[in-house]
Amino acid sequence: MVGSYANGHAASGGAVAAEKLDELRRLLGKADGDLLKIVGVGAGAWGSVFCALLQDAYGRHRDKAQVRVWRRPGRPVDRSTAEHLFEVINAREDVLRRLISRCAYLKYVEARLGDRTLYADEILRDGFCLNMIDTPLCPLKVVTNLQEAVWDADIVINGLPSTETREVFGEIGRYWKERISPPVIISLAKGIEASIDPVPRIITPTQMISNATGVPLENILYLGGPNIASEIYNKEYANARICGADKWRKPLAKFLRQPHFIVWDNSDLITHEVMGGLKNIYAIGAGMVAALTNESATSKSVYFSLCTSEMIYITHLLAKEPEKLAGPLLADTYVTLLKGRNAWYGQKLAKGELTLAMGDSIKGKGTIQGVSAVNAFYELLSQGSLSVTHPEAKKPVAPVELCPILKTLYKILIKRELGTDSILQAIRDESMCDPRERIEMSQRQSLYRPSLLGLPQGDT
């Protein structure tokens, strides 16, 4: 199926795009002359690239579809970023010619000289995401008024960090009170919140959106996978997985699929979404280990072995059939450890080039979502009501007691009791059990806790 689609796209790309667009329009009940309105909410690296991919694929069909991006207005671009942006522009002849033809080049010259200030929404219109300056995108239609952007949107892309999703979609929910039919929402956010009362459970971005807007969960999907935003836009081969209800996930997978970006579909929305947040935790630690050991392959492999055993252990708490998650989770973890912003953040902390006092929103990178995920998972897995049997002590303990790396990262990043070098002490601890034993214990014990995902006991 994928191969036949890719060949067809190569032979008649425009015709295939038009056919896919018409198919989705029919499913959404769009009449002739009524635009299919797609709006990205948030303009971080992945959110901007995702909208740019849609603009490249469907933007030529102006009578049928419209792609726009909302971002907050008024964020200035500092002088050093403006100077770097000028270098990027002049290194790419196609970008330089495009800006000159749009009469937009002069402002970048003036900004480089310090004669004017550029703004993030302004440069995004020209195809430059503030968090990804080195990868020029296609020009994008940018809206800075949130109500104008979303009130009649058919498809909304959540490109916000999980830490901002609830607040922004709470505002959006007020604009949608009079809507007759709910939109379809695709969330790209990778992060979670913890709720302790009345029982410990995870709250994911799709659940935040549903709670804030009243849009039923069957209209909200999650898209994630092992990918780096800049590489996808540069047409490096990648794949992703869109998860959610049958009605929308299969047609949207087809609509989003491109020859270099293969989109599969899966019904398990919440678990995949949680896994997308889990790997960010361990990516931060991987960055620390890499920096502290001068990129020692041996040390990094020891860390990888230990952190993957912890993640497998945690998936047994969250999923009835955790083995089905092993491939997607490991693939997403692998690429995040190689080149993701969370691993980068861990490296910078360990090298002293960043400090925790600077917060988790970093210039040129956006929000480091692994930090809030460390706090959420630690808080959840510390609850005695979720106790498991310790394999050696043979007594009930909170699940976090079997996650030494998570505990150490919590003490470094959240409590700030330990320095980054403590991560090395954690993986070199002589009392550390063989990672294989943690995995075997996970398989022997009945660890599954459906309540953690808000499911009743026994609900799969």
Side-chain angles (χ1 to χ4, degrees), residues 140-166:
L140 291 166
K141 297 180 178 69
V142 180
V143 183
T144 55
N145 182 294
L146 184 58
Q147 182 175 8
E148 176 189 348
V150 304
W151 76 275
D152 62 346
D154 299 297
I155 298 175
V156 175
I157 313 298
N158 175 32
L160 296 164
S162 59
T163 49
E164 297 179 21
T165 293
R166 184 188 301 278

Side-chain angles (χ1 to χ4, degrees), residues 117-425:
T117 300
L118 295 170
Y119 292 91
D121 56 290
E122 177 184 17
I123 66 172
L124 187 61
R125 291 185 175 92
D126 293 326
F128 301 105
C129 170
L130 189 58
N131 292 344
M132 199 175 58
I133 292 296
D134 290 312
T135 305
L137 309 174
C138 64
L140 291 166
K141 297 180 178 69
V142 180
V143 183
T144 55
N145 182 294
L146 184 58
Q147 182 175 8
E148 176 189 348
V150 304
W151 76 275
D152 62 346
D154 299 297
I155 298 175
V156 175
I157 313 298
N158 175 32
L160 296 164
S162 59
T163 49
E164 297 179 21
T165 293
R166 184 188 301 278
E167 177 187 353
V168 174
F169 275 87
E171 183 177 347
I172 290 173
R174 296 197 293 272
Y175 306 142
W176 283 350
K177 284 184 178 180
E178 306 302 320
R179 284 191 68 134
I180 298 172
S181 57
V184 174
I185 301 171
I186 302 172
S187 179
L188 310 178
K190 295 181 177 179
I192 68 161
E193 288 183 358
S195 175
I196 303 304
D197 295 321
V199 294
R201 69 185 183 94
I202 289 168
I203 303 174
T204 67
T206 59
Q207 293 170 325
M208 296 176 202
I209 292 168
S210 182
N211 293 338
T213 62
V215 173
L217 207 56
E218 66 182 20
N219 271 48
I220 308 175
L221 303 98
Y222 165 71
L223 186 137
N227 45 56
I228 300 296
S230 60
E231 293 184 355
I232 291 176
Y233 195 74
N234 287 332
K235 299 194 179 333
E236 296 286 342
Y237 179 84
N239 56 61
R241 192 172 274 100
I242 189 165
C243 305
D246 288 352
K247 178 180 179 181
W248 296 115
R249 75 172 193 270
K250 290 186 180 295
L252 282 171
K254 183 177 180 180
F255 181 71
L256 297 173
R257 189 179 298 134
Q258 298 184 25
H260 68 286
F261 184 56
I262 306 305
V263 181
W264 298 314
D265 69 274
N266 190 284
S267 61
D268 193 349
L269 167 65
I270 302 299
T271 311
H272 278 83
E273 195 175 10
V274 171
M275 294 303 104
L278 178 62
K279 52 86 183 176
N280 286 333
I281 292 174
Y282 294 95
I284 295 177
M288 293 178 181
V289 170
L292 292 167
T293 63
N294 196 27
E295 298 290 343
S296 163
T298 301
S299 295
K300 289 193 289 186
S301 68
V302 169
Y303 177 83
F304 187 74
S305 173
L306 292 168
C307 80
T308 51
S309 75
E310 281 194 22
M311 286 191 287
I312 290 170
Y313 165 70
I314 293 172
T315 62
H316 277 74
L317 290 164
L318 298 172
K320 188 173 185 179
E321 298 177 295
E323 61 278 358
K324 292 183 178 180
L325 298 169
L329 176 59
L330 289 177
D332 208 357
T333 301
Y334 180 68
V335 74
T336 304
L337 266 57
L338 283 177
K339 204 173 179 180
R341 75 181 72 176
N342 289 278
W344 172 89
Y345 179 71
Q347 285 187 320
K348 295 297 183 181
L349 283 178
K351 291 178 178 179
E353 296 173 15
L354 292 175
T355 67
L356 293 172
M358 294 177 178
D360 58 4
S361 183
I362 307 299
K363 172 188 168 184
K365 290 290 182 180
T367 300
I368 310 300
Q369 299 195 85
V371 177
S372 61
V374 166
N375 191 36
F377 271 101
Y378 182 91
E379 187 176 6
L380 280 169
L381 300 182
S382 297
Q383 302 304 308
S385 60
L386 300 173
S387 65
V388 298
T389 302
H390 194 286
E392 295 177 356
K394 306 299 181 185
K395 65 179 183 180
V397 296
V400 77
E401 295 304 320
L402 298 175
C403 299
I405 293 177
L406 174 59
K407 287 179 65 177
T408 302
L409 288 171
Y410 179 79
K411 291 176 181 179
I412 295 172
L413 298 170
I414 308 302
K415 299 297 288 184
R416 303 185 184 182
E417 297 173 348
L418 302 175
T420 54
D421 58 346
S422 299
I423 196 71
L424 294 184
Q425 298 173 28

Side-chain angles (χ1 to χ4, degrees), residues 436-452:
R436 175 183 58 81
E437 294 177 8
R438 185 182 291 107
I439 295 171
E440 288 179 349
M441 182 273 291
S442 302
Q443 295 169 339
R444 283 195 308 268
Q445 292 192 33
S446 178
L447 297 181
Y448 179 44
R449 302 289 191 273
S451 60
L452 275 171

Side-chain angles (χ1 to χ4, degrees), residues 105-125:
Y105 179 65
L106 183 58
K107 65 186 177 187
Y108 293 97
V109 176
E110 293 172 341
R112 176 184 176 274
L113 297 173
D115 293 337
R116 67 162 289 173
T117 300
L118 295 170
Y119 292 91
D121 56 290
E122 177 184 17
I123 66 172
L124 187 61
R125 291 185 175 92

Side-chain angles (χ1 to χ4, degrees), residues 77-87 118 123 130 133 363-364:
V77 178
D78 62 47
R79 176 78 178 275
S80 63
T81 302
E83 290 173 349
H84 180 55
L85 182 53
F86 185 76
E87 293 173 1
L118 295 170
I123 66 172
L130 189 58
I133 292 296
K363 172 188 168 184

